[in-house]
Amino acid sequence: MRLSAEEITHVDLRDAFRSRFGNPYGVVHRGDLHGVFLRACQKHDLIELRVSSEVLDYDQDGSSVTVRLASGDNVTGSLLIGADGLWSNIRKRVAADGPPRVSGHTTYRSVIPTEEMPEDLRWNAATLWAGPKCHIVHYPLSGWKVFNLVVTYHNDAPEPVAGKPVSDEEVMTGFQHLHDRAKDIIRHGRNWRLWVLCDRDPMERWIDGRVALLGDAAHPMLQYFAQGACMALEDAVCLSHMLGAYPDDHASALDRYRLQRFPRTARVQLLSRAIGEHIYHPAGEHARIRNAIMSAKTSEDYYGDLAWLYGGTGLAG
């Protein structure tokens, strides 16, 4: 199959999207988002913010839960929310389901100053270049100061890796078969870091007494739906709603949280895998079928397909 760099489809994310779903489609730099949370924590009288405080384990009784930190300190509270990510120590106790699943997909990430991005590719769009066993994603961030560049190669990597610095030459290894225009984007990346992507199968054991999982600790997912952080944020809002609805019944609050969030997050987990296989990385006849299906859809068709995701938050009920 010829690699042509031609457009297969596009989805209008401007006024029509905002009108359909009530909000714009947005992207944000992780540092900018973390800054919002940090400032909110610093301003809140009831929040004590600790850093370098890995939670190793916990104990609980009928009225409280106590965590043991890597520093040796203990901290006691009414509830423990395990939002400690893919390798969650809290999940080891709550679910005891072993290590994450290694996908075999290797992602390389770079942030490019806008002036170094090829001028003809400085699009105000979340852009996907899909190729055989690989893809490229780029979009502007931080008020057009930088472009986020993420390139992924399905190279059957066997072991988890997170944030490892890699050379420009190593990054290019998996993309030599691409169209020159796509390869030129990768050549503009600098200070690359590598991740081998991992996820887990959906699992309903999020609760252990006064302990609950949230975000990647509960439902780690591949990046193909671009929903990992979004699902964690929705989790947090749902949990706050449930604790507000059942202020004197923490057990009911946590269980209602789990019941509301599990179906939605499980769907995203499984569809993220399917999108990687059937949209991002196909080759040959598989890719031709993808192109035919996607090119036949209008923006309105895509809005309908995505209404379950962008048209709600899973907070009702």
Side-chain angles (χ1 to χ4, degrees), residues 65-315:
V65 56
T66 298
V67 299
R68 177 167 58 85
L69 305 182
S71 64
D73 292 343
N74 293 331
V75 180
T76 298
S78 297
L79 299 173
L80 170 61
I81 308 304
D84 48 343
L86 176 69
W87 297 95
S88 167
N89 287 331
I90 308 304
R91 185 185 178 112
K92 291 176 184 177
R93 282 284 306 276
V94 173
D97 58 347
R101 166 187 170 271
V102 181
S103 71
H105 298 199
T106 298
T107 283
Y108 307 90
R109 300 178 183 273
S110 176
V111 176
I112 307 174
T114 296
E115 61 272 16
E116 296 180 17
M117 186 72 172
E119 189 169 356
D120 64 331
L121 296 175
R122 295 177 194 173
W123 301 327
N124 185 21
T127 304
L128 163 66
W129 303 73
K133 299 191 76 171
C134 68
H135 76 271
I136 305 169
V137 171
H138 56 78
Y139 47 84
L141 288 174
S142 301
W144 282 85
K145 294 177 183 176
V146 296
F147 268 77
N148 193 36
L149 177 58
V150 183
V151 300
T152 300
Y153 176 32
H154 187 173
N155 59 349
D156 300 309
E159 301 291 338
V161 179
K164 175 186 175 183
V166 291
S167 67
D168 297 355
E169 293 74 22
E170 182 176 343
V171 174
M172 286 300 302
T173 299
F175 304 92
Q176 295 299 329
H177 60 299
L178 296 188
H179 189 280
D180 285 343
R181 194 175 188 209
K183 286 194 289 189
D184 190 48
I185 300 170
I186 302 174
R187 292 191 184 100
H188 285 79
R190 297 289 182 272
N191 302 315
W192 292 98
R193 291 183 178 271
L194 172 160
W195 281 259
V196 174
L197 304 178
C198 299
D199 69 352
R200 292 182 183 272
D201 293 331
M203 183 274 308
E204 292 189 79
R205 295 192 305 278
W206 295 12
I207 310 297
D208 173 27
R210 291 178 169 270
V211 181
L213 302 178
L214 183 149
D216 278 357
H219 44 71
M221 54 191 62
L222 300 182
Q223 90 277 34
Y224 297 114
F225 227 147
Q227 286 295 308
C230 298
M231 291 298 106
L233 291 169
E234 286 186 8
D235 286 352
V237 174
C238 180
L239 179 60
S240 72
H241 285 195
M242 293 303 100
L243 289 170
Y246 301 92
D248 301 317
D249 186 354
H250 290 156
S252 293
L254 296 184
D255 195 49
R256 289 292 300 171
Y257 155 72
R258 179 188 64 83
L259 288 171
Q260 285 202 34
R261 295 302 300 158
F262 174 74
R264 182 169 169 87
T265 57
R267 187 175 184 180
V268 177
Q269 283 178 286
L270 296 176
L271 284 177
S272 293
R273 292 181 186 175
I275 289 170
E277 179 179 355
H278 297 297
I279 295 179
Y280 282 69
H281 291 170
E285 193 62 27
H286 193 173
R288 276 187 282 270
I289 294 169
R290 173 206 58 200
N291 294 356
I293 292 172
M294 295 187 71
S295 62
K297 287 179 176 287
T298 66
S299 289
E300 286 295 332
D301 292 332
Y302 283 110
Y303 298 162
D305 292 344
L306 294 169
W308 69 272
L309 180 65
Y310 295 137
T313 60
L315 300 178

